[in-house]
Amino acid sequence: NAGVTQTPKFQVLKTGQSMTLQCAQDMNHNSMYWYRQDPGMGLRLIYYSASEGTTDKGEVPNGYNVSRLNKREFSLRLESAAPSQTSVYFCASSEAGRAQHFGDGTRLSIL
Amino acid sequence: GESVGLHLPTLSVQEGDNSIINCAYSNSASDYFIWYKQESGKGPQFIIDIRSNMDKRQGQRVTVLLNKTVKHLSLQIAATQPGDSAVYFCAENRDTGGFKTIFGAGTRLFVKA
């Protein structure tokens, strides 16, 4: 059972470039989430999807867009990358009211 | 404001000793609490959870205690092992009509051999 799979694991971008981070889960969870994690800070929610076909903004949505492609997949897009978006990005999934299961992250550097 | 936080950013314990990691929360409406472990280069991993109708829950070598009177949550790890070295996060679920889970900043646990 793979759980939550994120691709790529590492990426370096130049300022202004665009990129899509991919996430897929095989646990048949309804809810999926995108977080960023910066040094010394807790996880901050970017966007979430409570169920297939719905997406909502989290705490730090500016500069990002998401797509809930189907029940399994939830992608995060940076349209015009900025150095402030250098971070580790985590995708998670869960059933409503239950603990979230996380992928191993995408380490993104923007020069 | 409302928050989930940790009393100690780092904790160093001797191998074999018990570890206690603490967390404070401020919203009495929170009804579900979770502890996660995050190893270097990995995503957070679920350890144990507890609902607000309970005071204590035990897992394998771990116990979570919930004190609703003082809004305090703790994670106890028995016979701490080098493999327990990681960052530990508490998380609080509250029903705000929207997204529910708030994560603390984390405590780093060092286990000395």
Side-chain angles (χ1 to χ4, degrees), chain A residues 52-95:
Chain A
E52 186 178 355
T54 68
T55 61
D56 288 283
K57 295 179 180 179
E59 181 185 355
V60 288
N62 291 343
Y64 305 95
N65 286 300
V66 290
S67 295
R68 183 73 183 267
L69 304 171
N70 47 55
K71 191 171 186 179
R72 288 188 67 248
E73 298 173 288
F74 189 37
S75 63
L76 178 71
R77 182 161 178 85
L78 286 70
E79 290 291 351
S80 179
S84 62
Q85 294 177 305
T86 293
S87 189
V88 181
Y89 291 85
F90 289 102
C91 177
S93 70
S94 76
E95 283 304 324

Short mmCIF file of all heavy atoms in Angstrom, two decimals, chain A residues 52-95:
data_model
loop_
_atom_site.label_atom_id
_atom_site.label_comp_id
_atom_site.label_asym_id
_atom_site.label_seq_id
_atom_site.Cartn_x
_atom_site.Cartn_y
_atom_site.Cartn_z
N GLU A 52 -14.16 15.13 -3.91
CA GLU A 52 -13.93 15.27 -5.35
C GLU A 52 -14.85 16.36 -5.90
O GLU A 52 -16.04 16.39 -5.62
CB GLU A 52 -14.22 13.93 -6.04
CG GLU A 52 -13.90 13.90 -7.50
CD GLU A 52 -14.17 12.53 -8.11
OE1 GLU A 52 -14.52 11.60 -7.36
OE2 GLU A 52 -14.04 12.40 -9.34
N GLY A 53 -14.27 17.27 -6.67
CA GLY A 53 -15.05 18.34 -7.27
C GLY A 53 -15.10 19.62 -6.49
O GLY A 53 -15.63 20.63 -6.97
N THR A 54 -14.52 19.63 -5.28
CA THR A 54 -14.51 20.85 -4.47
C THR A 54 -13.10 21.19 -4.04
O THR A 54 -12.29 20.30 -3.75
CB THR A 54 -15.38 20.70 -3.21
OG1 THR A 54 -14.76 19.77 -2.33
CG2 THR A 54 -16.78 20.24 -3.55
N THR A 55 -12.79 22.49 -4.01
CA THR A 55 -11.53 22.97 -3.47
C THR A 55 -11.78 24.25 -2.69
O THR A 55 -12.71 25.01 -3.02
CB THR A 55 -10.47 23.24 -4.56
OG1 THR A 55 -10.96 24.26 -5.44
CG2 THR A 55 -10.15 21.98 -5.35
N ASP A 56 -10.97 24.47 -1.65
CA ASP A 56 -11.11 25.67 -0.83
C ASP A 56 -9.75 26.19 -0.43
O ASP A 56 -8.80 25.42 -0.27
CB ASP A 56 -11.94 25.36 0.43
CG ASP A 56 -13.39 25.16 0.12
OD1 ASP A 56 -14.08 26.16 -0.10
OD2 ASP A 56 -13.82 24.00 0.10
N LYS A 57 -9.69 27.51 -0.23
CA LYS A 57 -8.44 28.13 0.19
C LYS A 57 -8.15 27.83 1.65
O LYS A 57 -9.06 27.73 2.47
CB LYS A 57 -8.51 29.65 0.00
CG LYS A 57 -8.63 30.08 -1.45
CD LYS A 57 -8.73 31.59 -1.57
CE LYS A 57 -8.84 32.01 -3.03
NZ LYS A 57 -8.97 33.49 -3.17
N GLY A 58 -6.86 27.71 1.91
CA GLY A 58 -6.42 27.56 3.29
C GLY A 58 -5.84 28.86 3.81
O GLY A 58 -6.30 29.94 3.45
N GLU A 59 -4.80 28.74 4.60
CA GLU A 59 -4.20 29.90 5.27
C GLU A 59 -3.34 30.73 4.33
O GLU A 59 -3.30 31.96 4.44
CB GLU A 59 -3.34 29.38 6.44
CG GLU A 59 -2.66 30.44 7.27
CD GLU A 59 -1.74 29.80 8.33
OE1 GLU A 59 -1.72 28.56 8.46
OE2 GLU A 59 -1.04 30.57 9.02
N VAL A 60 -2.63 30.09 3.40
CA VAL A 60 -1.67 30.80 2.54
C VAL A 60 -1.86 30.45 1.07
O VAL A 60 -0.98 29.88 0.43
CB VAL A 60 -0.22 30.51 2.99
CG1 VAL A 60 0.10 31.20 4.30
CG2 VAL A 60 0.04 29.01 3.10
N PRO A 61 -2.99 30.79 0.45
CA PRO A 61 -3.26 30.36 -0.92
C PRO A 61 -2.64 31.21 -2.02
O PRO A 61 -2.57 30.77 -3.18
CB PRO A 61 -4.79 30.46 -0.99
CG PRO A 61 -5.10 31.61 -0.08
CD PRO A 61 -4.10 31.52 1.05
N ASN A 62 -2.19 32.43 -1.69
CA ASN A 62 -1.75 33.35 -2.73
C ASN A 62 -0.55 32.79 -3.49
O ASN A 62 0.43 32.36 -2.90
CB ASN A 62 -1.41 34.71 -2.13
CG ASN A 62 -2.64 35.43 -1.62
OD1 ASN A 62 -3.76 35.09 -1.97
ND2 ASN A 62 -2.43 36.42 -0.77
N GLY A 63 -0.65 32.84 -4.83
CA GLY A 63 0.44 32.36 -5.68
C GLY A 63 0.29 30.91 -6.08
O GLY A 63 1.14 30.38 -6.81
N TYR A 64 -0.78 30.27 -5.63
CA TYR A 64 -1.00 28.84 -5.92
C TYR A 64 -2.39 28.60 -6.49
O TYR A 64 -3.32 29.36 -6.22
CB TYR A 64 -0.88 28.01 -4.63
CG TYR A 64 0.41 28.18 -3.87
CD1 TYR A 64 0.49 29.09 -2.80
CD2 TYR A 64 1.54 27.44 -4.18
CE1 TYR A 64 1.65 29.25 -2.09
CE2 TYR A 64 2.71 27.60 -3.46
CZ TYR A 64 2.76 28.50 -2.42
OH TYR A 64 3.93 28.65 -1.72
N ASN A 65 -2.49 27.53 -7.26
CA ASN A 65 -3.78 27.02 -7.70
C ASN A 65 -3.78 25.51 -7.54
O ASN A 65 -2.71 24.89 -7.51
CB ASN A 65 -4.05 27.38 -9.16
CG ASN A 65 -4.41 28.84 -9.33
OD1 ASN A 65 -5.37 29.32 -8.77
ND2 ASN A 65 -3.59 29.55 -10.08
N VAL A 66 -4.97 24.93 -7.43
CA VAL A 66 -5.06 23.49 -7.26
C VAL A 66 -6.10 22.92 -8.21
O VAL A 66 -6.99 23.64 -8.69
CB VAL A 66 -5.43 23.09 -5.82
CG1 VAL A 66 -4.28 23.37 -4.86
CG2 VAL A 66 -6.71 23.77 -5.38
N SER A 67 -5.96 21.61 -8.44
CA SER A 67 -6.95 20.87 -9.22
C SER A 67 -7.18 19.53 -8.56
O SER A 67 -6.22 18.79 -8.31
CB SER A 67 -6.46 20.65 -10.66
OG SER A 67 -6.33 21.87 -11.34
N ARG A 68 -8.45 19.23 -8.27
CA ARG A 68 -8.79 17.88 -7.78
C ARG A 68 -9.21 17.10 -9.01
O ARG A 68 -10.36 17.16 -9.44
CB ARG A 68 -9.90 17.95 -6.74
CG ARG A 68 -10.24 16.59 -6.13
CD ARG A 68 -9.20 16.11 -5.18
NE ARG A 68 -9.45 14.81 -4.65
CZ ARG A 68 -10.09 14.57 -3.50
NH1 ARG A 68 -10.56 15.57 -2.78
NH2 ARG A 68 -10.25 13.33 -3.09
N LEU A 69 -8.29 16.40 -9.58
CA LEU A 69 -8.47 15.75 -10.88
C LEU A 69 -9.49 14.62 -10.80
O LEU A 69 -10.26 14.39 -11.72
CB LEU A 69 -7.13 15.24 -11.38
CG LEU A 69 -6.03 16.32 -11.48
CD1 LEU A 69 -4.68 15.69 -11.78
CD2 LEU A 69 -6.39 17.36 -12.52
N ASN A 70 -9.46 13.89 -9.72
CA ASN A 70 -10.38 12.80 -9.44
C ASN A 70 -10.24 12.49 -7.95
O ASN A 70 -9.54 13.23 -7.23
CB ASN A 70 -10.06 11.57 -10.31
CG ASN A 70 -8.58 11.25 -10.31
OD1 ASN A 70 -7.99 11.05 -9.24
ND2 ASN A 70 -7.97 11.20 -11.47
N LYS A 71 -10.82 11.43 -7.47
CA LYS A 71 -10.75 11.15 -6.04
C LYS A 71 -9.33 10.88 -5.59
O LYS A 71 -8.94 11.20 -4.48
CB LYS A 71 -11.65 9.98 -5.69
CG LYS A 71 -11.84 9.81 -4.19
CD LYS A 71 -12.90 8.77 -3.87
CE LYS A 71 -13.17 8.74 -2.37
NZ LYS A 71 -14.22 7.76 -2.02
N ARG A 72 -8.51 10.34 -6.45
CA ARG A 72 -7.14 9.95 -6.07
C ARG A 72 -6.14 11.09 -6.14
O ARG A 72 -5.16 11.10 -5.40
CB ARG A 72 -6.65 8.85 -7.02
CG ARG A 72 -7.28 7.49 -6.84
CD ARG A 72 -6.56 6.47 -7.71
NE ARG A 72 -5.19 6.24 -7.28
CZ ARG A 72 -4.11 6.60 -7.96
NH1 ARG A 72 -4.19 7.23 -9.12
NH2 ARG A 72 -2.91 6.33 -7.48
N GLU A 73 -6.34 12.03 -7.05
CA GLU A 73 -5.27 12.97 -7.39
C GLU A 73 -5.64 14.43 -7.09
O GLU A 73 -6.75 14.90 -7.39
CB GLU A 73 -4.94 12.83 -8.88
CG GLU A 73 -4.43 11.45 -9.25
CD GLU A 73 -4.27 11.31 -10.75
OE1 GLU A 73 -5.30 11.23 -11.46
OE2 GLU A 73 -3.11 11.31 -11.22
N PHE A 74 -4.65 15.14 -6.54
CA PHE A 74 -4.82 16.54 -6.17
C PHE A 74 -3.51 17.25 -6.47
O PHE A 74 -2.49 16.96 -5.84
CB PHE A 74 -5.16 16.62 -4.68
CG PHE A 74 -5.58 17.96 -4.17
CD1 PHE A 74 -6.36 18.81 -4.92
CD2 PHE A 74 -5.21 18.37 -2.89
CE1 PHE A 74 -6.77 20.05 -4.42
CE2 PHE A 74 -5.62 19.59 -2.37
CZ PHE A 74 -6.40 20.42 -3.14
N SER A 75 -3.53 18.15 -7.45
CA SER A 75 -2.28 18.78 -7.89
C SER A 75 -2.23 20.24 -7.43
O SER A 75 -3.26 20.90 -7.23
CB SER A 75 -2.14 18.70 -9.41
OG SER A 75 -3.18 19.41 -10.04
N LEU A 76 -1.00 20.71 -7.25
CA LEU A 76 -0.74 22.09 -6.83
C LEU A 76 0.09 22.78 -7.91
O LEU A 76 1.13 22.25 -8.30
CB LEU A 76 0.02 22.10 -5.50
CG LEU A 76 0.41 23.46 -4.95
CD1 LEU A 76 -0.82 24.21 -4.44
CD2 LEU A 76 1.44 23.31 -3.82
N ARG A 77 -0.34 23.93 -8.35
CA ARG A 77 0.37 24.62 -9.42
C ARG A 77 0.87 25.98 -8.95
O ARG A 77 0.12 26.75 -8.32
CB ARG A 77 -0.53 24.79 -10.65
CG ARG A 77 0.18 25.46 -11.83
CD ARG A 77 -0.52 25.22 -13.13
NE ARG A 77 0.16 25.92 -14.23
CZ ARG A 77 1.20 25.42 -14.90
NH1 ARG A 77 1.70 24.22 -14.58
NH2 ARG A 77 1.74 26.11 -15.89
N LEU A 78 2.12 26.25 -9.31
CA LEU A 78 2.71 27.56 -9.13
C LEU A 78 2.78 28.19 -10.52
O LEU A 78 3.49 27.70 -11.39
CB LEU A 78 4.12 27.48 -8.54
CG LEU A 78 4.26 27.12 -7.07
CD1 LEU A 78 3.90 25.67 -6.79
CD2 LEU A 78 5.69 27.41 -6.59
N GLU A 79 2.04 29.23 -10.75
CA GLU A 79 1.97 29.83 -12.08
C GLU A 79 3.21 30.66 -12.41
O GLU A 79 3.70 30.65 -13.52
CB GLU A 79 0.72 30.70 -12.20
CG GLU A 79 -0.58 29.92 -12.23
CD GLU A 79 -0.77 29.11 -13.52
OE1 GLU A 79 0.03 29.29 -14.47
OE2 GLU A 79 -1.71 28.30 -13.57
N SER A 80 3.71 31.38 -11.43
CA SER A 80 4.88 32.23 -11.63
C SER A 80 5.69 32.20 -10.34
O SER A 80 5.42 32.97 -9.42
CB SER A 80 4.46 33.65 -11.99
OG SER A 80 5.61 34.48 -12.17
N ALA A 81 6.62 31.26 -10.27
CA ALA A 81 7.32 30.99 -9.02
C ALA A 81 8.09 32.21 -8.52
O ALA A 81 8.71 32.95 -9.30
CB ALA A 81 8.26 29.81 -9.20
N ALA A 82 8.08 32.38 -7.19
CA ALA A 82 8.81 33.46 -6.53
C ALA A 82 9.72 32.86 -5.46
O ALA A 82 9.40 31.80 -4.90
CB ALA A 82 7.83 34.44 -5.90
N PRO A 83 10.84 33.51 -5.15
CA PRO A 83 11.74 32.97 -4.11
C PRO A 83 11.04 32.70 -2.79
O PRO A 83 11.43 31.76 -2.07
CB PRO A 83 12.81 34.07 -3.99
CG PRO A 83 12.85 34.69 -5.35
CD PRO A 83 11.42 34.69 -5.83
N SER A 84 10.00 33.46 -2.46
CA SER A 84 9.27 33.25 -1.20
C SER A 84 8.52 31.92 -1.18
O SER A 84 8.06 31.49 -0.11
CB SER A 84 8.27 34.39 -0.97
OG SER A 84 7.31 34.42 -2.02
N GLN A 85 8.42 31.29 -2.32
CA GLN A 85 7.76 29.99 -2.39
C GLN A 85 8.74 28.82 -2.24
O GLN A 85 8.33 27.66 -2.32
CB GLN A 85 6.97 29.87 -3.70
CG GLN A 85 5.80 30.84 -3.77
CD GLN A 85 5.05 30.77 -5.09
OE1 GLN A 85 5.65 30.90 -6.17
NE2 GLN A 85 3.75 30.55 -5.02
N THR A 86 9.98 29.12 -2.01
CA THR A 86 10.94 28.07 -1.65
C THR A 86 10.51 27.44 -0.34
O THR A 86 10.34 28.13 0.67
CB THR A 86 12.35 28.66 -1.51
OG1 THR A 86 12.80 29.10 -2.79
CG2 THR A 86 13.32 27.63 -0.95
N SER A 87 10.29 26.13 -0.37
CA SER A 87 9.72 25.47 0.81
C SER A 87 9.69 23.96 0.56
O SER A 87 10.07 23.48 -0.50
CB SER A 87 8.30 25.99 1.05
OG SER A 87 7.79 25.53 2.29
N VAL A 88 9.23 23.25 1.56
CA VAL A 88 8.92 21.83 1.39
C VAL A 88 7.40 21.72 1.36
O VAL A 88 6.71 22.23 2.26
CB VAL A 88 9.49 20.97 2.52
CG1 VAL A 88 9.16 19.50 2.27
CG2 VAL A 88 11.00 21.16 2.63
N TYR A 89 6.89 21.08 0.33
CA TYR A 89 5.44 20.97 0.13
C TYR A 89 4.98 19.56 0.44
O TYR A 89 5.55 18.58 -0.05
CB TYR A 89 5.08 21.34 -1.30
CG TYR A 89 5.28 22.82 -1.58
CD1 TYR A 89 6.53 23.31 -1.95
CD2 TYR A 89 4.24 23.72 -1.42
CE1 TYR A 89 6.74 24.66 -2.16
CE2 TYR A 89 4.42 25.08 -1.64
CZ TYR A 89 5.68 25.54 -2.01
OH TYR A 89 5.87 26.87 -2.20
N PHE A 90 3.96 19.46 1.27
CA PHE A 90 3.40 18.17 1.64
C PHE A 90 1.95 18.07 1.20
O PHE A 90 1.18 19.01 1.38
CB PHE A 90 3.47 17.95 3.15
CG PHE A 90 4.85 17.71 3.66
CD1 PHE A 90 5.56 18.72 4.29
CD2 PHE A 90 5.44 16.47 3.52
CE1 PHE A 90 6.85 18.50 4.76
CE2 PHE A 90 6.73 16.24 3.99
CZ PHE A 90 7.43 17.25 4.60
N CYS A 91 1.64 16.93 0.67
CA CYS A 91 0.26 16.57 0.36
C CYS A 91 -0.22 15.59 1.41
O CYS A 91 0.57 14.78 1.93
CB CYS A 91 0.21 15.93 -1.03
SG CYS A 91 -1.41 15.36 -1.55
N ALA A 92 -1.49 15.64 1.74
CA ALA A 92 -2.06 14.72 2.72
C ALA A 92 -3.47 14.35 2.29
O ALA A 92 -4.10 15.03 1.48
CB ALA A 92 -2.08 15.35 4.11
N SER A 93 -3.96 13.26 2.86
CA SER A 93 -5.34 12.86 2.61
C SER A 93 -5.93 12.32 3.91
O SER A 93 -5.20 11.90 4.82
CB SER A 93 -5.41 11.80 1.51
OG SER A 93 -4.89 10.56 1.95
N SER A 94 -7.25 12.33 3.98
CA SER A 94 -7.92 11.80 5.17
C SER A 94 -9.39 11.56 4.88
O SER A 94 -9.95 12.05 3.89
CB SER A 94 -7.81 12.77 6.35
OG SER A 94 -8.69 13.87 6.18
N GLU A 95 -9.99 10.81 5.79
CA GLU A 95 -11.44 10.80 5.88
C GLU A 95 -11.85 11.94 6.80
O GLU A 95 -11.06 12.37 7.65
CB GLU A 95 -11.94 9.47 6.42
CG GLU A 95 -11.93 8.36 5.38
CD GLU A 95 -12.74 8.74 4.15
OE1 GLU A 95 -13.77 9.41 4.27
OE2 GLU A 95 -12.29 8.36 3.04
#
